[in-house]
């Protein structure tokens, strides 16, 4: 009598789900196959089979039942098929039946093998045919971005272009197709630039149109500038009702500085109050673009959108590249996948790259082997190769989030090239402290921040600590909305709850003595934490950051807005009427005056019609002072802030005295002195950590 092998510990722990247990697998599969499978166990990526313990798993992260093996493992799959024969199909069917897949009734073990359902073994390469990108010569490639002010219909236009080119099916559910983040769909704005390769036939020629959809808010201008580096032209979308707005002007000058072709597109012509002729005149006056070059469309209804595709082909030049030169690829964006590592978005300026190539990072000098290349269509579509002039993605086994630097140049091993210029580093405008609610979550939060900063390289990170909150970080953001979105993504994508301190701006101080200069190793220091703001006795002058702000508003609100700007210590620089009813104001603002609530006040005063955008304008001398909040006579560092020339404040107990005998005033002052003396004796207050956290959360929500 043969001895039956005892089930392994993992098989014993597997819950019964109506399918044969792990013991059946051990009995059914041959010993050679079991040995092969046991060396390939990993966590299954299939959402169905995550709940099926005990199923053998493959190296690509899918269980043997899924059989979606990438090309490196295709030979392994064929070996398994040879070893197991029809039993493989039975085992696959059993596992799928156990998970509730619609395959008909469960197979009967006593039935003839011919009655068992079988499935063909295939690899992902066989299932998803790889594109041959060599059929797109350089002259048939167009790389362009869509730029616009917030809510001018940029993402809707991208949806229509995807439909017209057959990239996606035309359905009523196509809304913000390229906005993949949960925070984007909830807020209705784009915060992360997304790429899509469109294949379009025009006059018998097949064109490759690489589209990059960009954010529209001023806080994400860095995303826009990076995206433009991979393009030769832009679609400048303007609302037919609202006309030119502040961010429209900023986007135009970004494209102008990059020497890109600009195609103005007037959107939403279907609206009741649309006035495309007025907007044409604005574009001609402000941007010096002839009105007859404007394309009038309704992206919502699809009206005249095909003219946009025609204009892209006719008015945007092909990229100037050389495919015979050694590889030179620019990393203009990247994302992090926990299973595959860094997915780098690249624009090829020279050469060719394919799977198996060894590439080198010009920034780190590390060598990698390319695992996969492809285009986004809009989802990942693997290709055999990527050629100069094309935009796509590249996976090369970069597992560390610090290895993929935005603006880095990639080249072939032993074929070094001159690195591309890359990008200017993003300059943070707002700093805030970030701490885990519970210090036991520090490492998890650290990992989440590292991965998220790879997806958003404009965030700067410095280690920090607090007596009340423990270890944390000082993060730099491009604005308040950027800070809110980053915090929201931490919560949604990494399930991390954090405490954010009051946002501040970076100040500078010029040190007064050689001893201090030697201590700090520089004469001019930058302060990103108000608690470290130096005393006046140590510096010769303080400097505060300033920005050049652009406000576009209906002229009826001009007076109110000018009063608001003057109250925020702004200096007017220019005033231009862009048409009979709208005016563009230029002001030099102290950054600290606009960073918190200026935008809300502006919208309130203008009934929502005014728009605001700003750009860095350096530093200016200012009278600044550190304002401490004392508790039990000790400074609470988390509540410290820097303000402009605030006078000392104390309670005036004599305010209610309008006259009368001097003895009454003396009596009130004496009573106040006795109260202070008593407070010094017994006035120590203990503040629970929960109460302290609530104070910080209330401030950050404001």
């Amino acid at each position: 009598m043969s001895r039956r092998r005892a089930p392994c510990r993992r098989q014993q722990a597997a819950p019964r789900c109506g399918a044969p247990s792990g013991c059946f697998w051990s009995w059914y599969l041959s010993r050679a196959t079991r040995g092969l499978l046991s060396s390939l166990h990993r966590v299954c990526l299939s959402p169905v089979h995550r709940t099926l313990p005990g199923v053998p798993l493959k190296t690509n992260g899918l269980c043997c039942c899924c059989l979606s093996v990438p090309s490196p493992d295709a030979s392994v799959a064929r070996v398994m098929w040879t070893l197991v024969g029809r039993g493989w199909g039975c085992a696959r069917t059993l596992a799928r039946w156990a998970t509730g897949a619609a395959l008909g009734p469960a197979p009967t073990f006593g039935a003839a093998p011919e009655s068992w359902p079988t499935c063909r073994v295939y690899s992902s390469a066989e299932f998803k045919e790889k594109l041959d990108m060599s059929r797109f010569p350089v002259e048939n490639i167009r790389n362009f971005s869509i730029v616009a002010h917030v809510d001018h219909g940029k993402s809707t236009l991208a949806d229509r272009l995807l439909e017209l080119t057959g990239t996606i099916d035309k359905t009523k559910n196509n809304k913000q197709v390229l906005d993949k983040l949960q925070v984007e769909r909830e807020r209705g704005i784009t915060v992360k630039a997304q790429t899509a390769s469109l294949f379009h036939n025009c006059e018998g020629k097949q064109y490759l149109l690489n589209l990059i959809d960009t954010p529209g808010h001023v806080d994400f201008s860095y995303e826009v500038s990076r995206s433009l580096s991979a393009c030769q032209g832009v679609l400048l979308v303007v609302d037919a009702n609202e006309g030119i707005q502040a961010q429209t002007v900023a986007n135009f000058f970004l494209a102008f500085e990059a020497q890109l072709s600009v195609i103005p597109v007037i959107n939403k012509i279907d609206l009741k109050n649309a006035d495309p002729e007025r907007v044409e005149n604005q574009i001609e006056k402000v941007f010096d673009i002839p009105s007859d070059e404007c394309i009038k469309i309704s992206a919502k209804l699809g009206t005249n959108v095909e003219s946009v595709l025609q204009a892209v082909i006719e008015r945007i030049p092909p990229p100037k590249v050389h495919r015979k030169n050694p590889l030179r690829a620019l990393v203009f964006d990247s994302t992090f996948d926990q299973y595959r590592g860094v997915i780098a978005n690249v624009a090829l300026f020279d050469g060719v790259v394919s799977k198996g190539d060894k590439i080198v990072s010009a920034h780190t000098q590390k060598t990698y082997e390319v695992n996969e290349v492809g285009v986004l269509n809009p989802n990942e579509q693997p290709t055999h190769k990527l050629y100069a002039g094309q935009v796509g993605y590249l996976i090369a086994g970069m597992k560390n989030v610090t290895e993929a630097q935005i603006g880095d140049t990639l080249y072939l091993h032993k074929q070094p090239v001159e690195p591309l210029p890359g990008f200017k580093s993003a300059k943070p405008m707002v700093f805030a402290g970030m701490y885990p609610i519970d210090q036991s979550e520090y490492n998890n939060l650290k990992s989440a921040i590292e991965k998220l900063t790879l997806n958003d390289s404009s965030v700067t990170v410095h280690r920090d600590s607090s007596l009340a909150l423990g270890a944390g970080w000082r993060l730099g953001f491009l604005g308040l909305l950027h800070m809110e979105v980053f915090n929201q993504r931490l919560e949604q994508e990494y399930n991390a709850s954090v405490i954010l301190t009051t946002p501040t701006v970076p100040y500078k101080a010029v040190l007064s003595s050689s001893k201090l200069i030697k201590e700090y190793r520089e004469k001019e220091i930058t302060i990103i934490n108000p608690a470290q703001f130096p005393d006046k006795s140590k510096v010769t002058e303080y400097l505060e950051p300033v920005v050049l702000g652009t406000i576009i508003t209906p002229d009826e609100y001009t007076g109110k807005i000018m009063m608001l700007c003057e109250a925020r210590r702004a200096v007017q620089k220019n005033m231009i009427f862009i048409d009979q009813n709208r005016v563009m104001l230029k002001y030099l603002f102290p950054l600290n005056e606009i960073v918190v609530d200026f935008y809300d006040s502006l919208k309130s005063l203008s009934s929502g019609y005014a728009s605001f955008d700003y750009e860095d304008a350096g530093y200016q001398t200012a009278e600044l002072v550190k304002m401490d909040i004392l508790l039990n006579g000790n400074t609470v560092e988390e509540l410290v802030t820097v303000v402009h020339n605030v006078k000392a404040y104390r309670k005036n107990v004599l305010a209610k005295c309008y006259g009368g005998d001097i003895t009454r005033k003396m009596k009130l002052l004496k009573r106040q002195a006795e109260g202070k003396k008593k407070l010094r004796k017994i006035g120590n207050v203990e503040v629970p950590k929960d109460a302290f956290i609530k104070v910080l959360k209330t401030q950050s929500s404001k």
Side-chain angles (χ1 to χ4, degrees), residues 388-432:
Q390 298 174 357
V391 175
Y393 71 90
L394 179 149
I395 303 173
M398 298 179 185
K399 296 297 182 182
N400 192 326
V401 293
T402 60
E403 293 180 53
Q405 293 289 326
I406 302 299
D408 194 6
T409 299
L410 304 177
Y411 59 87
L412 291 177
H413 183 55
K414 294 184 179 179
Q415 296 186 38
V417 296
E418 184 71 23
L420 293 160
F423 309 110
K424 287 183 180 179
S425 299
K427 186 174 181 179
M429 295 291 195
V430 176
F431 288 86

Side-chain angles (χ1 to χ4, degrees), residues 308-558:
V308 176
L309 285 174
Q310 190 68 25
V312 167
I313 293 172
E314 294 177 355
R315 292 158 61 178
I316 294 178
K320 295 179 181 179
V321 295
H322 302 88
R323 291 187 173 178
K324 293 183 179 180
N325 289 355
L327 173 67
R328 198 164 55 144
L330 174 69
V331 180
F332 67 91
D333 203 354
S334 61
T335 56
F336 185 82
D337 184 279
Q338 59 179 329
Y339 301 108
R340 297 182 294 170
V342 175
I343 303 174
N345 287 9
V346 294
L348 271 67
F349 286 81
D350 289 309
V352 182
V353 64
S354 61
K355 180 180 176 180
D357 286 347
K358 288 189 176 182
I359 58 172
V360 180
S361 160
H363 177 74
T364 64
Q365 292 300 309
K366 290 186 177 180
T367 303
Y368 307 93
E369 183 174 340
V370 177
N371 299 327
E372 184 179 322
V373 295
V375 294
L376 297 166
N377 189 240
N379 298 319
E380 292 171 7
Q381 174 71 55
T383 65
H384 294 287
K385 297 180 179 181
L386 283 178
Y387 296 83
Q390 298 174 357
V391 175
Y393 71 90
L394 179 149
I395 303 173
M398 298 179 185
K399 296 297 182 182
N400 192 326
V401 293
T402 60
E403 293 180 53
Q405 293 289 326
I406 302 299
D408 194 6
T409 299
L410 304 177
Y411 59 87
L412 291 177
H413 183 55
K414 294 184 179 179
Q415 296 186 38
V417 296
E418 184 71 23
L420 293 160
F423 309 110
K424 287 183 180 179
S425 299
K427 186 174 181 179
M429 295 291 195
V430 176
F431 288 86
M434 180 174 284
Y435 303 89
I437 289 181
D438 190 331
Q439 280 294 307
S440 62
E441 294 294 320
Y442 177 86
N443 289 330
N444 292 337
L445 181 56
K446 178 184 177 183
S447 175
I449 290 174
E450 286 177 347
K451 292 173 182 176
L452 194 51
T453 50
L454 174 66
N455 294 348
D456 188 353
S457 61
S458 57
V459 178
T460 61
V461 183
H462 304 273
R463 282 192 174 185
D464 200 2
S465 62
S466 160
L467 291 175
L469 301 175
W473 301 268
R474 195 83 185 168
L475 302 184
F477 303 96
L478 301 182
L480 278 188
L481 178 63
H482 187 204
M483 182 182 77
E484 292 171 7
V485 166
F486 188 88
N487 186 27
Q488 191 171 341
R489 289 187 67 185
L490 277 177
E491 293 178 356
Q492 293 175 346
E493 299 174 27
Y494 298 95
N495 197 29
S497 297
V498 302
I499 304 166
L500 275 173
T501 62
T502 308
T504 61
V505 301
Y507 296 98
K508 289 186 177 181
V510 180
L511 301 175
S512 58
S513 68
S514 56
K515 182 179 179 182
L516 290 170
I517 294 172
K518 186 177 180 180
E519 179 183 344
Y520 287 96
R521 296 182 180 178
E522 54 186 346
K523 186 175 182 179
E524 189 177 273
I525 61 172
T526 302
I527 305 107
I528 62 174
N529 189 342
Q532 300 169 357
F533 197 78
D535 188 75
K536 180 65 177 175
S537 61
K538 297 181 179 180
V539 302
T540 56
E541 64 176 351
Y542 295 113
L543 304 172
E544 66 177 348
V546 291
V547 294
L548 182 62
T550 302
I551 301 172
I552 296 181
T553 178
D555 60 352
E556 59 191 278
Y557 303 108
T558 304

Side-chain angles (χ1 to χ4, degrees), residues 506-507 542-546 569 590 592 618-622 624 644:
Y507 296 98
Y542 295 113
L543 304 172
E544 66 177 348
V546 291
R569 299 191 288 125
N592 190 40
Y619 283 78
Q620 69 179 13
T621 305
L624 302 172
H644 181 264

Side-chain angles (χ1 to χ4, degrees), residues 500 692-702:
L500 275 173
F692 190 75
I693 291 172
K694 286 180 181 178
V695 170
L696 291 176
K697 283 192 171 182
T698 303
Q699 287 185 337
S700 61
S701 65
K702 290 180 180 179

Side-chain angles (χ1 to χ4, degrees), residues 164 269 294-298 301-309:
L164 275 175
I269 60 173
C294 299
I295 303 173
K296 303 171 190 174
I297 68 165
S298 169
L301 302 180
T303 307
N304 202 32
V305 176
E306 63 277 359
S307 299
V308 176
L309 285 174

Side-chain angles (χ1 to χ4, degrees), residues 74-86:
S75 58
V76 177
R78 285 192 288 271
V79 170
M80 289 182 173
W81 175 260
T82 304
L83 289 170
V84 187
R86 280 182 182 160

